[in-house]
Amino acid sequence: MSNRFKSTAALAAVLISIVAGSASAETARIFWKDLRPATQPAAESVGLPMVAAKMPDRGETLSLNLRDKAVQLAGYALPLDRDGDLVYQFLLVPWTGACSHMPTPPPNQIVLVTPARPYRMSQAYQPVAVTGALEPGMEKSQLFILDGVSVIQSGYTVRKAEVTDVDGVPDTITLPANSSWSFLNKKKN
């Protein structure tokens, strides 16, 4: 192998590592509040469940300043398309029980996620972090639950997402102890 070829290969490797490093440095860690307008009350402020029908904009006001930006958001995965424990598409929601055990959050608090590779999920509402380009726009998905099918409207999409398990969601909402849904607060082992 010639010295010129070796130095060209070494330079290419350095450039690739610089580009990869800068791409990860540009990924912004966001929180659920970043997906809704500042004027929309947070779920913990109005008491769960947040009902989109009671909001003036039905929860359809999206954060357009995040369009096409690489972001990382932690939430709970609710499978839409799966084969056994492999999940091909899921909804990312801000609290456990959203969409299936409780009323659906507003669209600006739901992200439709298509992983870059099938994601191995051990349980519904598994806490995960999703990294990828966030695309605002209303999408409808069918969620198959025990008592039928629900059509869920999400306000954001992340395609080709990197999905990783996390221990918890930093801005999760804990239901009040007197809530009939408080059983969803319990950690699964």
Side-chain angles (χ1 to χ4, degrees), residues 18-43:
I18 290 171
V19 169
S22 68
S24 64
E26 293 174 14
T27 300
R29 185 172 181 200
I30 63 169
F31 299 95
W32 289 98
K33 67 177 178 55
D34 298 322
L35 299 180
R36 62 179 170 76
T39 57
Q40 179 181 317

Side-chain angles (χ1 to χ4, degrees), residues 95-143:
W95 58 81
T96 59
C99 301
S100 66
H101 297 302
M102 300 174 65
T104 303
N108 63 17
Q109 296 293 282
I110 302 174
V111 180
L112 177 62
V113 178
T114 305
R117 301 169 281 300
Y119 174 70
R120 191 169 302 277
M121 183 182 289
S122 60
Q123 63 191 12
Y125 297 108
Q126 186 166 322
V128 297
V130 171
T131 305
L134 188 70
E135 184 61 39
M138 296 297 172
E139 294 271 342
K140 288 186 179 182
S141 305
Q142 289 187 336
L143 175 66

Side-chain angles (χ1 to χ4, degrees), residues 7-175:
S7 21
T8 303
L11 178 61
V14 168
L15 289 174
I16 289 171
S17 68
I18 290 171
V19 169
S22 68
S24 64
E26 293 174 14
T27 300
R29 185 172 181 200
I30 63 169
F31 299 95
W32 289 98
K33 67 177 178 55
D34 298 322
L35 299 180
R36 62 179 170 76
T39 57
Q40 179 181 317
E44 62 271 21
S45 302
V46 296
L48 283 175
M50 284 176 65
V51 180
K54 292 183 180 178
M55 296 178 179
D57 69 347
R58 297 186 328 264
E60 294 179 356
T61 301
L62 306 178
S63 180
L64 300 179
N65 62 338
L66 295 171
R67 180 183 301 275
D68 296 327
K69 292 192 177 169
V71 299
Q72 182 180 65
L73 177 66
Y76 299 95
L78 183 59
L80 292 173
D81 182 12
R82 75 183 309 164
D83 183 14
D85 62 349
L86 291 178
V87 176
Y88 298 92
Q89 193 171 55
F90 63 87
L91 296 175
L92 189 68
V93 295
W95 58 81
T96 59
C99 301
S100 66
H101 297 302
M102 300 174 65
T104 303
N108 63 17
Q109 296 293 282
I110 302 174
V111 180
L112 177 62
V113 178
T114 305
R117 301 169 281 300
Y119 174 70
R120 191 169 302 277
M121 183 182 289
S122 60
Q123 63 191 12
Y125 297 108
Q126 186 166 322
V128 297
V130 171
T131 305
L134 188 70
E135 184 61 39
M138 296 297 172
E139 294 271 342
K140 288 186 179 182
S141 305
Q142 289 187 336
L143 175 66
F144 295 92
I145 51 180
L146 290 176
D147 57 351
V149 177
S150 288
V151 176
I152 308 294
Q153 188 167 15
S154 54
Y156 300 93
T157 304
V158 178
R159 292 179 176 82
K160 297 181 184 176
E162 293 300 320
V163 182
T164 55
D165 291 336
V166 294
D167 291 330
V169 177
D171 57 340
T172 192
I173 296 165
T174 302
L175 300 167

